[in-house]
Amino acid sequence: MTNTDEAVTHVDEVHAAGFHRPKTVTQLRRFLHAALEVEHLTIPVYMTGMYTIRPGTNRTAYYTIRSVLLEEMLHMTLVANLLNAVGGTPRVAHSRFVRSYPATLPMSDASLRPIHLRHFSPEALQTFLTIERPRSFHTNVSEGSGWTSIGQFYAAINEGLTELVREHGEDGVFTGDPARQVGPEDFYNSGGEVFPITGLDSAQTALEVISEQGEGAHDSIWDRDDQLFGEVRQLGHFFRFNEIHTGRHYGPNDAPSLPPSGPLLDVSWDDAYPIVGDSTVADYHRFQESSAVHAKAVEFNAAYATLLCCLERAFRGLPRALALAIPTMLTLRDLSEQLYRNPHPNPEFARDGYFASATFEITPHLVREAQKRVDQHIDEAGLETGEPVDLSGVTVGA
Amino acid sequence: MTLTTTGAEAARGHYDAVIVGAGWAGSLIAKNLDARGWRVLVLEAGEGETQTWSGYLDSLETFHSAVAKVPNSAYRHNRAAPSPDVLDLSPKQLSAQDEREYIANGYFVQNGPLPYGSDYIRALGGAGMHWLGAVPRMHAEDFATHENFGYGRDWPIDASVLEPYYAEAEHQLGVSGDAAEQRDLGVVTDRDYVYPMHQIPPSHIDNHCREKVDGATITDPMGAERTLHVTGLPQARNSTPNPNHHHNTTHGYQPKGAVGLPNYGERCVGNASCVPICPVQAKSSPQRLQDDFSDRVTLATRSVATRVLRGHDDRVRAVEYRSYGDPASPVSEPHTVRTDIVVLAGHAIENARLLLFSELANSSGHVGRNLMDHPTTLAWALADSQVGPFRGPGHTSGWEEFRFGRERASRAPFRIEISNWGWQWSTGAPMSNVAAALGLGGDADGSVRDSGHLGPELRRLLGDSISRQLQLQIAIEQWADPQNRVTIDPSRYRDAMGNPRPIITYDLDDHVRDGVFAAYHVSERIFGELGATSYTHHAPINGAPRIGHFRRGDTDLTYSGAGHGAGTHIMGTDPGDSVVDSFQRTHDHPNLYAVGCGSMPSVGTSNPTLTMAALALRSAERIHRDLVELSQPAVVRPRPAEDAKEMV
């Protein structure tokens, strides 16, 4: 295993280098590493919004957030495929991969407010909308003047990739081992599908999927899952979130720039567990004598580290390791429900009606421990490509 | 996206075929005819709410809040289209020798010596909504028990005719399985066959049983000696797609996810409530097929077929049905829809009820006769170590050895399912364990107990008792006995809408009872091999018998229904003693089909859905050919021969 914790965040690097397209394959890989971080950045944010919904309430909102969350996982996997295809080595299991919240939104206007972990609330949805804002909502900017949207960032990757293939040919760019590609047998049931990336065509399809699921295709509110995968067409993420935020569905012909005009959507903001978004394990530690929240928060973070280690193994030549991510995610669900349903251990916060929350603090120590666990799970489960998945010999979790 | 309409709206359309019932058989035929360009009306008696995600979640909540988690517990009572329920039966203390030991309430009228203990559900998707998803194929010898073993009836077709339809059905349903294992059993014979998805992994209990029993030789009381091996069960639930699966010219398999919510639906993660409802829709259901219907298919819910109407000659001309708006009320209005072909695809008992009330297809007198089920005897024990029940699908493996062989001549064969859900079926575990540990329910005299446990002691008790629970569910073959039958008596027994209720006369004959007896002894011997302590108890307690109790000699035995009703419009070559031909077309009416388990001349020991699906696909081809013939333009005035020559 490589050193898991060198202080690298590709996002910051790419962001700091200013707005330009990647001009070498090395730069392209760096951009794609940044893309992995960008896709992942949304996951703790959306997860917090989803799991703070009181069970059985706000169902449309719950499943909407869930669908976006799954597509962010799809995007991460597609980016990993692309990075592998161009000879890169995805790194996701290190402590800096998970940003500390509140986080600044990379590839965006510096004037945007930082991204907090928030419970299901109009403010949380406002954050989600900020993350997914389509590039068409921004005025066009020229190279070098700074990023304004994630869509624009992917457009730059696409331009760079196309130019590199023109210079070096497909064989000169797509030098990765095809065995490292994650295919549909190891990932399904989000909007869209994971597919192997083997050349410029499949790479561009992947980039299209990522951009269009987020911000809608061709200046519309819809993605193109129907055309690309023979699936049901869905709203782009921004528009799905906007439905919740406005409490109203879009009509079939609504324009992106206008508010939704369709039927009402039942949202009850009160049916959520309010949290203090930036609580830390250290905050909980003070109250560990009187509350089990600290132990559960640590357990949650350990499970999250396990998830990242599963993903890293899956992205580094063992696609079937994604199977281990499934029970790990179920563990995360159970642990977060336990956290959000318990009062904040600090009596002052509890008195104000705040509940405990997952902190998503991933330490190098947690990653090291998780790596051992995942290695052991893989030994126990086998997970050979092409073989049935059987996790019955494994007890997965934190 | 599935679109349904009302019965009133549907009556305005014109259809090449009308299918009664939107379960597996009806949906497979509708989808197949749709793909060939025919216009089809599907009439569903029950509700269709589960096609939407919010409706599905409502069903899930109904299940969660139900006190008894029986197969129909995910559905509300429907007065307009009532369903039988396993809770309709209650035991009765014997007061005289010749009296029946059960009381039947609810939809069925029962007058047989023994109770028919199975249910079904009248709702969109039918019993394909609450089924377990077990899809083993029948074995070649199951198709000819009379010829091979001297009991029951033989099929007019054999396993080789059905093999390609089995494979197609497995693709349509979405089956996970290990073809090599099924080849070893002899039920899959195609050497290159690969299921659409890899097998669902065996449970801890399966592995426990494999470690302890594999290779052991068990002899049943009739002298059948078998060496046991745990074998996996093919299941219609999503697992890892197998890239080596072939379908026509395509490779691999794209699993179908949830219906009603885009891009949702998971692989089976062991939520352990397959019956009655999978919370993540990993379990396949007919709704997946309905979701793919084009606008050529009109799907009308809340539309209860009342009669098929006869036309000129022997043909049928129309279906009469009643639509309702409020399932809590029997208020309804009648409609008639004309069509070229009528396909009855209700449950076996519903098909028989409809044919009887329509006075159709019964020149043989066999409509409603030959009612079969898989009488299922339960055996329960505590293992010598923790085995981890209540995880995974209801069962993932079984012992198949007593399904086959010449001993079938002396007793009915049986298939031993290894339960993953502890003593749920036999004792109502785990809630019964909780109640017992808490001291709920009073003592034998009705006094409140003061011996309940709480806290750590309660947890310890539950952990110890529940985690060692083993249960075997042994499904016994029942042959087609004309005495077991469905009748109607519209003057006396009608439902709230005015339709005749099924009257059921049911019994187990000696061959079947001997099978139950052998199964009981085999289960005891298996528990011996497992080092488990049997708690199986079939005798009446304080004079109160369990439902399905009977005695064979000195031995008390009980059975439950498996929900596998079959045989009521039995298939055969002779119109004198069968109702439908091998295409499930009624002998008496060339454009009336009765499809489903009701057509099966024998049921073997395999869960019947897959065989029913294979038969439906074969029927769909035949219906397509019928429709092609019917739609040829009539030649009014034959062109003179010389005209034709000139044109050449």
Side-chain angles (χ1 to χ4, degrees):
Chain A
M1 277 285 127
T2 53
N3 174 12
T4 52
D5 215 55
E6 45 185 280
V8 181
T9 57
H10 298 275
V11 166
D12 296 338
E13 247 180 57
V14 170
H15 188 62
F19 177 76
H20 66 84
R21 63 176 169 78
K23 297 199 170 63
T24 64
V25 171
T26 310
Q27 278 184 10
L28 175 66
R29 290 179 194 151
R30 194 173 302 139
F31 268 62
L32 289 168
H33 263 118
L36 274 177
E37 291 172 20
V38 169
E39 294 301 338
H40 175 265
L41 173 94
T42 63
I43 286 175
V45 181
Y46 296 162
M47 251 179 89
T48 304
M50 179 171 76
Y51 287 139
T52 48
I53 291 175
R54 283 180 188 262
T57 68
N58 287 307
R59 277 195 163 141
T60 308
Y62 179 92
Y63 284 101
T64 298
I65 300 171
R66 188 184 186 281
S67 71
V68 173
L69 195 47
L70 273 166
E71 288 181 0
E72 301 300 349
M73 299 178 194
L74 169 74
H75 298 175
M76 254 188 96
T77 312
L78 285 172
V79 170
N81 272 357
L82 182 48
L83 181 51
N84 269 315
V86 298
T89 304
R91 292 186 59 242
V92 298
H94 60 97
S95 63
R96 298 287 289 268
F97 188 74
V98 184
R99 302 175 79 82
S100 58
Y101 295 89
T104 48
L105 183 63
M107 313 308 166
S108 63
D109 201 312
S111 66
L112 286 177
R113 272 179 293 174
I115 305 296
H116 287 266
L117 299 177
R118 293 185 197 273
H119 60 272
F120 180 72
S121 58
E123 295 75 24
L125 265 296
Q126 195 56 58
T127 304
F128 297 2
L129 289 168
T130 303
I131 294 172
E132 302 284 356
R133 190 170 300 278
R135 77 197 103 152
S136 61
F137 285 17
H138 302 273
T139 48
N140 274 342
V141 283
S142 55
E143 177 155 322
S145 71
W147 304 97
T148 60
S149 79
I150 291 170
Q152 191 191 36
F153 168 62
Y154 279 106
I157 291 179
N158 197 352
E159 277 172 39
L161 176 68
T162 311
E163 191 56 38
L164 284 167
V165 168
R166 198 174 301 146
E167 282 171 33
H168 307 288
E170 275 194 319
D171 291 348
V173 176
F174 292 95
T175 54
D177 177 2
R180 294 167 74 111
Q181 295 293 313
V182 178
E185 63 274 17
D186 291 309
F187 185 110
Y188 78 76
N189 281 323
S190 65
E193 248 194 60
V194 169
F195 49 87
I197 293 172
T198 51
L200 187 60
D201 279 355
S202 43
Q204 288 183 328
T205 305
L207 293 171
E208 275 171 46
V209 168
I210 295 171
S211 305
E212 290 173 0
Q213 285 188 338
E215 56 182 18
H218 305 316
D219 212 7
S220 81
I221 57 178
W222 301 101
D223 67 19
R224 290 199 302 147
D225 284 359
D226 51 337
Q227 293 162 46
L228 291 167
F229 303 108
E231 294 178 344
V232 179
R233 175 176 86 154
Q234 282 184 282
L235 291 171
H237 295 180
F238 178 86
F239 304 100
R240 272 182 243 176
F241 286 147
N242 205 28
E243 286 192 330
I244 306 173
H245 190 238
T246 57
R248 191 178 281 281
H249 287 288
Y250 277 98
N253 300 313
D254 281 354
S257 56
L258 297 172
S261 71
L264 289 175
L265 186 162
D266 190 24
V267 176
S268 51
W269 299 113
D270 289 344
D271 285 320
Y273 298 105
I275 59 163
V276 184
D278 37 19
S279 288
T280 59
V281 165
D283 295 339
Y284 296 151
H285 188 256
R286 289 167 51 210
F287 303 99
Q288 64 170 333
E289 296 301 318
S290 56
S291 165
V293 162
H294 174 259
K296 287 293 170 187
V298 170
E299 213 180 311
F300 179 94
N301 290 336
Y304 204 85
T306 306
L307 176 65
L308 294 177
C309 292
C310 293
L311 295 180
E312 181 152 294
R313 290 299 298 268
F315 298 158
R316 289 189 177 190
L318 189 63
R320 200 138 277 193
L322 276 185
L324 284 172
I326 305 293
T328 309
M329 287 189 285
L330 294 176
T331 303
L332 287 170
R333 179 189 69 187
D334 294 346
L335 287 169
S336 44
E337 282 176 359
Q338 290 171 32
L339 283 166
Y340 298 129
R341 285 183 208 189
N342 272 285
H344 196 288
N346 184 336
E348 284 174 31
F349 287 137
R351 201 166 38 239
D352 291 341
Y354 287 105
F355 290 79
S357 59
T359 67
F360 297 90
E361 294 165 283
I362 308 304
T363 63
H365 170 73
L366 286 177
V367 174
R368 278 193 301 275
E369 292 300 307
Q371 225 138 29
K372 285 184 216 155
R373 266 195 305 276
V374 170
D375 287 346
Q376 190 191 334
H377 292 334
I378 288 171
D379 285 346
E380 287 162 351
L383 299 173
E384 293 294 315
T385 300
E387 292 296 308
V389 173
D390 182 354
L391 305 181
S392 55
V394 187
T395 303
V396 181
Chain B
M1 184 176 161
T2 315
L3 290 175
T4 60
T5 185
T6 63
E9 185 64 33
R12 287 195 265 274
H14 297 273
Y15 311 98
D16 297 307
V18 173
I19 298 171
V20 176
W24 274 122
S27 302
L28 281 164
I29 292 175
K31 186 181 168 194
N32 198 297
L33 295 179
D34 176 23
R36 294 165 192 264
W38 302 109
R39 298 186 64 83
V40 180
L41 169 64
V42 183
L43 295 172
E44 169 51 53
E47 296 270 26
E49 298 306 313
T50 48
Q51 56 162 325
T52 65
W53 187 247
S54 53
Y56 194 82
L57 291 178
D58 180 62
S59 219
L60 195 61
E61 273 181 2
T62 307
F63 160 65
H64 284 153
S65 59
V67 175
K69 311 293 190 190
V70 296
N72 284 352
S73 57
Y75 290 88
R76 292 197 185 81
H77 183 65
N78 183 333
R79 254 192 113 199
S83 298
D85 195 295
V86 295
L87 298 174
D88 292 340
L89 288 173
S90 45
K92 189 170 65 170
Q93 196 136 1
L94 273 186
S95 56
Q97 276 300 316
D98 56 350
E99 215 180 340
R100 289 194 296 271
E101 286 189 358
Y102 69 91
I103 299 167
N105 297 302
Y107 180 52
F108 288 157
V109 181
Q110 297 216 41
N111 61 19
L114 290 178
Y116 176 80
S118 280
D119 64 359
Y120 48 88
I121 182 75
R122 294 168 79 195
L124 190 67
M129 298 307 294
H130 73 198
W131 73 321
L132 176 65
V135 283
R137 295 184 186 186
M138 280 173 68
H139 189 279
E141 71 175 43
D142 293 331
F143 291 88
T145 58
H146 188 74
E147 185 188 323
N148 292 328
F149 312 110
Y151 72 90
R153 289 169 66 125
D154 292 348
W155 289 56
I157 48 176
D158 61 23
S160 67
V161 173
L162 277 191
E163 172 132 27
Y165 299 100
Y166 268 137
E168 177 64 22
E170 282 152 357
H171 185 83
Q172 298 273 343
L173 269 59
V175 174
S176 301
D178 179 354
E181 264 187 331
Q182 297 299 310
R183 265 191 291 274
D184 288 346
L185 274 185
V187 296
V188 169
T189 49
D190 177 352
R191 279 186 306 154
D192 301 322
Y193 183 70
V194 176
Y195 281 103
M197 292 172 279
H198 288 293
Q199 67 169 334
I200 301 283
S203 66
H204 288 287
I205 293 177
D206 296 340
N207 292 332
H208 177 83
C209 290
R210 181 177 286 119
E211 280 159 26
K212 297 253 180 179
V213 182
D214 252 28
T217 299
I218 304 271
T219 308
D220 83 358
M222 285 73 179
E225 189 182 285
R226 296 287 188 276
T227 304
L228 298 190
H229 294 281
V230 171
T231 300
L233 172 77
Q235 298 164 65
R237 69 186 91 255
N238 289 349
S239 77
T240 313
N242 194 329
N244 296 324
H245 172 70
H246 291 241
H247 182 249
N248 301 327
T249 55
T250 60
H251 286 244
Y253 180 78
Q254 185 177 5
K256 175 103 177 147
V259 170
L261 184 66
N263 306 315
Y264 183 59
E266 294 173 4
R267 297 178 193 186
C268 176
V269 290
N271 278 292
S273 69
C274 326
V275 180
I277 186 165
C278 173
V280 298
Q281 289 198 20
K283 181 182 76 172
S284 186
S285 86
Q287 293 195 158
R288 293 190 185 175
L289 303 176
Q290 293 155 6
D291 196 39
D292 289 340
F293 287 168
S294 81
D295 57 8
R296 280 187 293 272
V297 180
T298 304
L299 181 53
T301 54
R302 299 187 181 180
S303 299
V304 183
T306 47
R307 283 187 307 162
V308 179
L309 304 179
R310 192 166 178 160
H312 292 297
D313 308 324
D314 294 328
R315 304 185 74 81
V316 296
R317 63 179 173 88
V319 176
E320 179 192 83
Y321 63 98
R322 302 185 74 90
S323 64
Y324 60 92
D326 178 359
S329 126
V331 175
S332 61
E333 56 172 321
H335 313 276
T336 302
V337 61
R338 297 182 69 109
T339 186
D340 287 334
I341 293 201
V342 175
V343 182
L344 301 185
H347 181 273
I349 291 173
E350 291 297 307
N351 275 1
R353 193 176 65 78
L354 258 173
L355 287 173
L356 289 169
F357 194 48
S358 308
E359 299 181 358
L360 290 171
N362 202 15
S363 63
S364 65
H366 271 272
V367 170
R369 290 191 181 272
N370 308 299
L371 176 65
M372 293 174 269
D373 191 7
H374 283 123
T376 299
T377 193
L378 305 174
W380 57 105
L382 284 184
D384 57 359
S385 60
Q386 300 211 344
V387 292
F390 299 99
R391 297 170 62 163
H395 87 275
T396 37
S397 298
W399 285 293
E400 316 286 325
E401 288 80 6
F402 288 95
R403 292 171 66 185
F404 315 122
R406 60 187 165 75
E407 294 84 357
R408 292 174 78 161
S410 59
R411 50 114 184 97
F414 47 92
R415 176 169 183 277
I416 306 169
E417 299 178 353
I418 302 168
S419 168
N420 289 329
W421 294 348
W423 294 2
Q424 188 191 53
W425 197 354
S426 47
T427 71
M431 295 320 290
S432 58
N433 297 88
V434 177
L438 288 172
L440 301 180
D443 61 17
D445 301 326
S447 300
V448 175
R449 286 187 238 200
D450 55 5
S451 58
H453 299 280
L454 291 167
E457 180 59 11
L458 175 65
R459 282 202 296 279
R460 194 197 61 74
L461 270 176
L462 293 179
D464 184 60
S465 58
I466 295 173
S467 64
R468 292 191 292 132
Q469 290 180 354
L470 290 169
Q471 182 180 277
L472 305 178
Q473 301 149 190
I474 313 183
I476 290 113
E477 184 188 33
Q478 181 170 34
W479 59 277
D481 181 346
Q483 304 303 315
N484 290 333
R485 64 186 300 197
V486 180
T487 54
I488 56 170
D489 183 353
S491 63
R492 287 182 68 197
Y493 299 114
R494 292 189 300 272
D495 66 18
M497 190 186 269
N499 295 310
R501 289 162 57 196
I503 303 166
I504 294 182
T505 311
Y506 188 74
D507 200 359
L508 309 188
D509 89 318
D510 286 344
H511 190 253
V512 180
R513 290 177 185 224
D514 287 350
V516 178
F517 176 74
Y520 165 67
H521 280 279
V522 166
S523 70
E524 289 292 299
R525 287 165 201 178
I526 288 174
F527 288 148
E529 293 289 335
L530 282 165
T533 309
S534 174
Y535 282 77
T536 309
H537 187 89
H538 295 300
I541 296 169
N542 299 328
R546 288 174 69 94
I547 294 169
H549 170 257
F550 66 88
R551 287 174 69 84
R552 182 193 178 279
D554 294 335
T555 311
D556 288 291
L557 297 166
T558 64
Y559 71 95
S560 303
H564 298 173
T568 52
H569 41 85
I570 205 152
M571 176 191 293
T573 45
D574 180 359
D577 75 350
S578 61
V579 180
V580 300
D581 66 15
S582 76
F583 293 101
Q584 306 189 82
R585 182 161 69 167
T586 57
H587 292 302
D588 296 352
H589 313 285
N591 63 340
L592 174 62
Y593 285 75
V595 304
C597 295
S599 301
M600 293 168 67
S602 71
V603 291
T605 43
S606 47
N607 311 52
T609 297
L610 186 75
T611 303
M612 173 184 77
L615 286 172
L617 291 167
R618 187 165 180 268
S619 295
E621 286 181 2
R622 177 72 220 193
I623 294 166
H624 166 67
R625 291 205 297 276
D626 291 353
L627 285 170
V628 169
E629 277 176 34
L630 286 169
S631 60
Q632 291 299 310
V635 181
V636 177
R637 183 167 54 85
R639 188 188 292 272
E642 42 283 13
D643 284 8
K645 268 182 206 150
E646 275 170 27
M647 288 186 69
V648 175

